[in-house]
Amino acid sequence: DLQYEYHVQAPVCLEPNFSGLVEAWANGCEWDGIVGGTSLDEGDVCRLFQRTIDVLKQMTLLDGLDMGLRDKSRRAFDAMDRFPVSDDSFISEEDGLDGDLAQ
């Protein structure tokens, strides 16, 4: 078990039925291809991806977590955090701000 190997004290439950969707999204599959290939509603898919992104983000911030695992988490986060799932994607698409509210 990967969580045991990396001494993760607060285990994260994985749902193997959805891992293919998450992997496809992380590998760059387009949104229409993802939602077209599942019976889940778009909102459910978006929520699944957002929760996954949140876990990955938290893993990048954990002190004491193996640096290799933190790096992998960051790369997965970067791959998944894109339109239309990204928290700031609505702002980026509508306002052309590239997600940067500090401007």
Side-chain angles (χ1 to χ4, degrees):
D1 183 60
L2 193 59
Q3 294 177 31
Y4 178 78
E5 179 182 337
Y6 284 100
H7 310 289
V8 176
Q9 299 291 323
V12 176
C13 296
L14 303 174
E15 178 55 60
N17 294 330
F18 301 132
S19 61
L21 287 174
V22 171
E23 182 178 8
W25 183 249
N27 284 329
C29 188
E30 295 294 325
W31 182 253
D32 290 340
I34 295 286
V35 296
T38 183
S39 62
L40 295 172
D41 290 333
E42 287 187 39
D44 293 333
V45 174
C46 189
R47 191 174 313 107
L48 168 69
F49 292 167
Q50 287 174 336
R51 292 180 71 194
T52 303
I53 289 167
D54 184 52
V55 169
L56 291 168
K57 182 178 180 179
Q58 290 177 41
M59 290 179 67
T60 67
L61 303 173
L62 287 174
D63 290 330
L65 190 63
D66 178 82
M67 285 303 294
L69 186 56
R70 287 172 71 174
D71 290 342
K72 288 177 186 178
S73 298
R74 181 62 194 194
R75 286 194 307 271
F77 171 87
D78 289 342
M80 292 191 67
D81 191 34
R82 57 191 172 94
F83 181 80
V85 177
S86 176
D87 283 340
D88 61 358
S89 62
F90 177 76
I91 293 169
S92 296
E93 290 296 311
E94 295 297 317
D95 298 329
L97 296 176
D98 296 325
D100 188 2
L101 297 177
Q103 294 183 18

